[in-house]
Amino acid sequence: MAERVLTRVHSLRERLDATLAAHRNEILLFLSRVEGHGKGILKPHQLVAEFEAICGADKEKLQDHAFKELLKSTQEAIVLPPWVALAIRLRPGVWEYVRVNVNALVVEELTVPEYLHFKEELVNGTANGNFVLELDFEPFTSTFPKPTLTKSIGNGVEFLNRHLSAKMFHDRESMTPLLDFLRMHNYKGKTIMLNDKIQNLNSLQGVLSKAEEYLSTLPPETKFDDFEHKFQEVGLERGWGDTAERVSEMISMLLGLLEAPDSCTLEKFLGRIPMVFNVVILSPHGYFAQENVLGFPDTGGQVVYILDQVPALEREMLKRIKEQGLDITPRILIVTRLLPDAAGTTCGQRLEKVFGAEHSHIIRVPFRTEKGILRKWISRFEVWPYMETFTEDVAREIVAELEGKPDLIIGNYSEGNLAASLLAHKMGVTQCTIAHALEKTKYPDSDIYLKNFDDKYHFSCQFTADLYAMNHTDFIITSTFQEIAGSKDTVGQYESHQAFTMPGLYRIVHGIDVFDPKFNIVSPGADMNVYFSYTEKDKRLTAFHPEIEELLFSDVENDEHLCVIKDKKKPIIFTMARLDRVKNLTGLVELYAKSPRLRELANLIVVGGDRRTESKDLEEQAEMKKMYSLIETYKLNGQFRWISSQMNRTRNGELYRCIADTRGVFVQPAFYEAFGLTVIEAMTCGLPTFATLHGGPAEIIVNGKSGFHIDPYNGEQVADTLVNFFDKCTKEPSYWDTISAGGLKRIQEKYTWQIYSDRLLTLAGVYGFWKYVSKLDRQEIRRYLEMFYALKYRKLAEAVPLAVD
């Protein structure tokens, strides 16, 4: 048998050189076609199209070669004749950069700064030799432990627990931080867990061993009250559990950690330490209220997410506090903007109790300037000049409301995460970041061509705030893997912040690392009281049926519903979202309009936009204009209905079920969707769902089993997929039931708020401990971020025009 020999892995440049040597003419032909586009950026689909366009014989020579694989991994090509530079993504989070001189067929490897400098020439020209600020966060995290395997991305807490337990196992003194961490716990000055009778690890271990022996003599259900005094005398306070059995479990876990630390026990133990009693959740933009707001500008999935999250989180906190043997009332505050011009909603009310919760409230704080309080709604893109003063006001309000600091601060979206970072920094509190959607991926090339976007969207502020928050936070929650690191062929939202440039502002050489253990995937669910299967007849909200019948099928056309459905026996293709460009509702209408067979098989009903009032949102205005044009051009009246946004969530739940009664489907056609709460809602109601493959829905749905993936960039293909489904259901009626049941099964296994809440509180415990043991290491990056905020963000925010009431 031949001896196997380990050989050196050749660099990307060496592999390209070898390919060029073997297939010089064919590659020259391909690169010449790319160069022929002239100065600019080519995306993957354009590169593939040029490859497919070269003649069959030439293409065949490259088909099985490394060059085809390299081409599939190329995320963009920068064309500046005679050079073509390629950004090659070898796998999620791992990139290399090269450029090829098309005339000389010379290959050069580029560093990240060199590639970004080359890219800037698209905007600045060759006279781009001036000093440019380069941001590089990597040196501050280079000593932190990080995984290297793609499968570890988004499982940060598991990796961190393995690292921490290995570090603790190294020597006995490594356990001292855990002792100190336990000793510092108190609630409003009252000691929890350990008192000052326990001063070192030896005394802790001795006391725990005696306590364990004593507890073994008691009935498991014995209340902590019965042996509290005995425990206090030896140094143990409340917080270990409410019964002898639970206290014994906690003590046994800690003794096990002191003897031989392991990652699973460490996570379980840290998750059960009493740490989180008061939570602050920030979501400033839009109309944040519990009724009559869904469908207003900037008001959609994020509001639903938080209003479902909070009652579930409160239930889990109450359960844990009871099991910890403590008599403490938890509080959750949702902090949002107070809107004096509240448009008939409760957005002008300072304090509002959260439905379905006992100890959770919405607290509203106005945007203000030296001239006074801003009364009207403003777009999420215009909030930046108000955020610093808003955060200062919020700090005073929450300290007064909670009578102290919170234990956990959760930010939502860009401006909420900026405010959370400033508050966490000021108060020394554990911070969690939830992006929901990072705009950089929704607006392609909005970084390099910043000047084309900035007057309207102020992305210079937003991208700066995003970088600040994602580097400041203790841990990041995402709903899907794709949100962090994309897929084999697409770049993740966070990954797109790894290296980019905003000409005239600064260059980001290393913005975020998707392998950072701060990333964790924790998927939300749907409110099971509102969203449940159409088959649960005894729970169906039949009182809404006359209203829903009117909404869907009445012959009346008005501001609430435009066009009528003539054949009410056909199944309904249903969609519901904000009316903006990215949600792509008009794209769905267009592909439906252009497919005679689909129009023959099913009706289309779209819920989105509010025609009852004049929209202030420019994107919504443009999409409305397009919708009117499609209705007229394709004569859709009779097969289509356009319904204004529906704000009653409970009725919307029954609306999904009524669509299921028609044997219809739900379609989510967004160009990009970070997660897809409407996808979860529709599937929870038993509605077969067709959703974009760009973003989170691609992970929620198992294609062909629990729903279907669709590519919104290929409308004809989407129409064919829908036609094939309805045709198959006509021939085989049980097929509809199979897909419906598959969707319900998928939800029950992975997407519930109970799973979410348990995970979130466990993460808060683990990262609270990690923050404590690594606080010296983090001091340097915090200083760097302070400078970044003061010298960059603040000036950019001041340049955004203030709104006029």
Side-chain angles (χ1 to χ4, degrees):
M1 184 177 173
E3 186 179 344
R4 288 187 179 182
V5 179
L6 286 173
T7 58
R8 180 174 67 86
V9 175
H10 293 286
S11 72
L12 190 62
R13 185 185 61 77
E14 289 171 328
R15 280 180 279 157
L16 257 177
D17 278 340
T19 306
L20 281 168
H23 300 284
R24 190 176 183 86
N25 290 331
E26 294 82 11
I27 289 178
L28 180 60
L29 181 62
F30 169 73
L31 290 174
S32 296
R33 293 187 66 91
V34 171
E35 186 193 24
H37 281 261
K39 179 179 172 181
I41 302 173
L42 270 66
K43 298 300 181 187
H45 68 277
Q46 293 171 295
L47 294 171
V48 170
E50 290 302 341
F51 182 81
E52 295 297 329
I54 62 178
C55 76
D58 294 319
K59 188 168 65 178
E60 194 63 37
K61 289 178 184 177
L62 294 174
Q63 197 73 36
D64 298 325
H65 204 275
F67 184 77
K68 181 70 187 292
E69 286 304 308
L70 180 141
L71 185 63
K72 283 166 64 178
S73 300
T74 300
Q75 294 302 316
E76 66 178 16
I78 309 299
V79 182
L80 284 166
W83 292 97
V84 175
L86 306 176
I88 299 160
R89 182 174 177 259
L90 303 176
R91 61 187 176 96
V94 180
W95 294 69
E96 289 192 27
Y97 305 90
V98 296
R99 69 174 181 173
V100 183
N101 186 307
V102 179
N103 294 343
L105 282 188
V106 172
V107 182
E108 294 180 1
E109 282 184 288
L110 298 176
T111 62
V112 174
E114 287 169 344
Y115 177 79
L116 295 176
H117 181 275
F118 182 79
K119 191 174 182 178
E120 287 159 9
E121 290 185 24
L122 291 172
V123 177
N124 297 336
T126 52
N128 185 19
N130 296 332
F131 171 80
V132 176
L133 173 65
E134 289 186 352
L135 290 171
D136 186 355
F137 291 97
E138 188 173 33
F140 300 103
T141 59
S142 60
T143 59
F144 284 13
K146 285 179 191 172
T148 56
L149 300 175
T150 301
K151 67 180 182 180
S152 297
I153 294 172
N155 295 312
V157 75
E158 285 87 348
F159 176 83
L160 202 54
N161 284 329
R162 288 198 301 272
H163 166 77
L164 286 169
S165 56
K167 190 175 179 181
M168 287 174 174
F169 193 75
H170 183 65
D171 59 66
R172 188 170 175 75
E173 289 311 305
S174 299
M175 297 296 294
T176 302
L178 181 57
L179 171 62
D180 296 339
F181 185 67
L182 292 172
R183 290 184 62 203
M184 75 173 207
H185 276 79
N186 68 84
Y187 178 74
K188 294 187 176 179
K190 185 168 175 59
T191 304
I192 298 173
M193 302 290 287
L194 301 178
N195 60 39
D196 56 12
K197 288 190 172 104
I198 294 176
Q199 293 291 329
N200 55 52
L201 289 169
N202 286 335
S203 63
L204 174 64
Q205 195 162 19
V207 165
L208 292 175
S209 297
K210 287 179 182 175
E212 186 178 42
E213 189 178 330
Y214 168 73
L215 289 168
S216 68
T217 67
L218 301 178
E221 66 278 5
T222 306
K223 298 294 182 190
F224 185 85
D225 296 359
D226 296 345
F227 52 88
E228 179 178 8
H229 183 67
K230 190 179 284 289
F231 266 41
Q232 280 180 331
E233 287 179 344
V234 296
L236 302 177
E237 296 285 347
R238 282 188 171 271
W240 295 88
D242 60 337
T243 65
E245 184 175 30
R246 285 206 177 92
V247 175
S248 184
E249 283 175 14
M250 277 289 278
I251 287 175
S252 177
M253 275 192 279
L254 184 50
L255 282 169
L257 288 171
L258 289 170
E259 189 156 317
D262 73 272
S263 58
C264 292
T265 306
L266 181 64
E267 178 178 321
K268 194 174 177 184
F269 180 75
L270 291 173
R272 284 174 65 170
I273 295 174
M275 288 175 61
V276 181
F277 308 112
N278 294 316
V279 178
V280 167
I281 297 171
L282 287 134
S283 180
H285 75 254
Y287 289 82
F288 197 107
Q290 301 180 83
E291 294 179 299
N292 304 320
V293 294
L294 294 183
F296 276 13
D298 293 341
T299 310
Q302 183 172 314
V303 173
V304 174
Y305 180 109
I306 294 168
L307 289 176
D308 285 350
Q309 171 198 43
V310 167
L313 193 56
E314 184 190 285
R315 286 192 295 273
E316 184 63 25
M317 289 168 72
L318 283 165
K319 173 177 168 285
R320 289 188 178 212
I321 289 167
K322 178 190 172 296
E323 290 176 354
Q324 288 157 354
L326 298 171
D327 183 19
I328 293 172
T329 301
R331 290 290 308 277
I332 302 177
L333 294 180
I334 303 169
V335 180
T336 189
R337 182 193 161 199
L338 185 140
L339 278 165
D341 294 346
T345 71
T346 57
C347 293
Q349 186 178 316
R350 178 185 171 273
L351 199 66
E352 182 182 354
K353 191 176 179 184
V354 174
F355 300 158
E358 287 299 315
H359 314 292
S360 302
H361 294 81
I362 301 167
I363 185 167
R364 299 186 178 89
V365 179
F367 283 174
R368 66 176 178 87
T369 65
E370 294 171 354
K371 295 179 180 177
I373 289 172
L374 181 65
R375 298 188 58 82
K376 68 174 187 177
W377 167 87
I378 58 171
S379 160
R380 68 188 188 275
F381 300 120
E382 298 171 334
V383 300
W384 307 109
Y386 303 96
M387 290 312 300
E388 190 164 328
T389 305
F390 174 77
T391 304
E392 289 167 3
D393 293 344
V394 165
R396 286 190 291 272
E397 291 277 358
I398 61 177
V399 168
E401 190 67 31
L402 298 175
E403 298 178 353
K405 296 190 300 185
D407 305 299
L408 175 65
I409 295 177
I410 303 172
N412 293 272
Y413 191 67
S414 299
E415 91 287 347
N417 285 318
L418 175 69
S421 300
L422 296 174
L423 285 170
H425 184 73
K426 183 186 181 84
M427 297 178 171
V429 174
T430 301
Q431 177 192 353
C432 168
T433 286
I434 306 175
H436 295 282
L438 291 164
E439 299 292 347
K440 192 169 151 328
T441 45
K442 289 165 68 175
Y443 294 83
D445 301 326
S446 51
D447 47 4
I448 184 67
Y449 296 125
L450 182 69
K451 288 180 181 175
N452 298 345
F453 294 84
D454 217 31
D455 286 346
K456 181 178 180 182
Y457 295 111
H458 310 295
F459 283 151
S460 56
C461 280
Q462 186 154 9
F463 298 169
T464 301
D466 286 332
L467 278 170
Y468 177 83
M470 65 180 71
N471 280 285
H472 186 281
T473 192
D474 295 299
F475 66 104
I476 296 171
I477 279 181
T478 69
S479 299
T480 62
F481 178 92
Q482 289 206 23
E483 207 176 322
I484 308 168
S487 64
K488 185 174 181 289
D489 302 315
T490 60
V491 180
Q493 285 193 67
Y494 278 98
E495 188 182 7
S496 76
H497 293 73
Q498 189 168 316
F500 66 99
T501 183
M502 293 191 284
L505 276 182
Y506 53 83
R507 204 179 276 157
I508 299 87
V509 173
H510 188 99
I512 191 72
D513 186 347
V514 297
F515 291 95
D516 195 309
K518 68 171 62 176
F519 284 106
N520 291 275
I521 300 165
V522 186
S523 301
D527 184 343
M528 297 297 184
N529 294 314
V530 175
Y531 305 101
F532 50 86
S533 175
Y534 77 101
T535 59
E536 295 186 49
K537 301 295 184 186
D538 56 330
K539 288 176 68 177
R540 292 288 297 267
L541 306 175
T542 53
F544 284 128
H545 285 190
E547 296 173 32
I548 292 172
E549 180 78 14
E550 169 81 11
L551 193 68
L552 298 177
F553 298 120
S554 80
D555 293 330
V556 176
E557 294 185 69
N558 53 31
D559 288 343
E560 187 172 24
H561 29 75
L562 187 66
C563 299
V564 298
I565 300 293
K566 287 184 178 175
D567 184 352
K568 298 172 187 176
K569 293 179 182 177
K570 288 197 293 190
I572 291 170
I573 299 168
F574 180 64
T575 192
M576 180 160 54
R578 290 196 315 276
L579 191 61
D580 63 27
R581 187 184 68 81
V582 175
K583 294 297 183 187
N584 192 37
L585 298 188
T586 54
L588 174 61
V589 175
E590 186 170 5
L591 71 87
Y592 173 81
K594 289 179 176 178
S595 174
R597 178 62 179 152
L598 189 56
R599 292 173 68 167
E600 184 186 326
L601 287 167
N603 297 312
L604 174 62
I605 292 181
V606 170
V607 176
D610 192 350
R611 293 170 37 257
R612 293 161 293 206
T613 58
E614 187 177 344
S615 176
K616 300 170 188 173
D617 188 282
L618 296 177
E619 268 195 27
E620 186 173 75
Q621 289 171 15
E623 290 297 300
M624 280 189 171
K625 187 177 177 182
K626 186 177 177 183
M627 191 78 85
Y628 286 123
S629 173
L630 288 167
I631 292 168
E632 181 62 31
T633 302
Y634 293 98
K635 309 298 180 207
L636 289 171
N637 200 350
Q639 299 167 312
F640 167 74
R641 184 159 231 185
W642 178 16
I643 300 171
S644 285
S645 54
Q646 297 299 300
M647 301 178 185
N648 185 329
R649 284 186 70 212
T650 306
R651 191 174 76 171
N652 285 348
E654 192 60 27
L655 178 56
Y656 282 119
R657 290 184 285 274
C658 287
I659 302 297
D661 291 336
T662 75
R663 312 289 279 182
V665 301
F666 179 78
V667 179
Q668 208 279 25
F671 288 121
Y672 184 84
E673 186 64 55
F675 179 58
L677 265 179
T678 53
V679 172
I680 295 288
E681 291 167 0
M683 290 169 71
T684 305
C685 293
L687 201 50
T689 300
F690 296 69
T692 180
L693 53 74
H694 301 293
E699 287 176 48
I700 297 170
I701 290 171
V702 179
N703 191 43
K705 292 186 177 180
S706 54
F708 299 90
H709 297 159
I710 58 171
D711 184 356
Y713 290 99
N714 192 333
E716 191 176 332
Q717 190 181 75
V718 175
D720 289 344
T721 303
L722 287 161
V723 166
N724 292 339
F725 175 78
F726 285 119
D727 274 339
K728 187 165 183 177
C729 290
T730 303
K731 296 169 189 168
E732 189 185 323
S734 64
Y735 184 60
W736 190 96
D737 298 298
T738 300
I739 300 299
S740 170
L744 285 163
K745 184 171 182 284
R746 179 75 173 161
I747 294 298
Q748 287 153 8
E749 287 173 351
K750 280 205 73 174
Y751 299 98
T752 73
W753 282 112
Q754 195 280 321
I755 297 169
Y756 174 100
S757 302
D758 176 69
R759 196 74 190 131
L760 175 57
L761 290 175
T762 297
L763 292 176
V766 174
Y767 284 96
F769 178 58
W770 174 239
K771 182 186 181 81
Y772 180 79
V773 298
S774 65
K775 58 188 172 185
L776 291 177
D777 294 332
R778 290 188 176 271
Q779 192 67 34
E780 293 171 348
I781 194 168
R782 295 287 156 89
R783 289 297 188 200
Y784 189 68
L785 287 166
E786 283 174 18
M787 184 170 64
F788 180 47
Y789 178 89
L791 299 181
K792 276 294 173 189
Y793 170 79
R794 189 176 275 154
K795 288 182 179 179
L796 291 168
E798 287 168 356
V800 176
L802 293 170
V804 178
D805 270 320

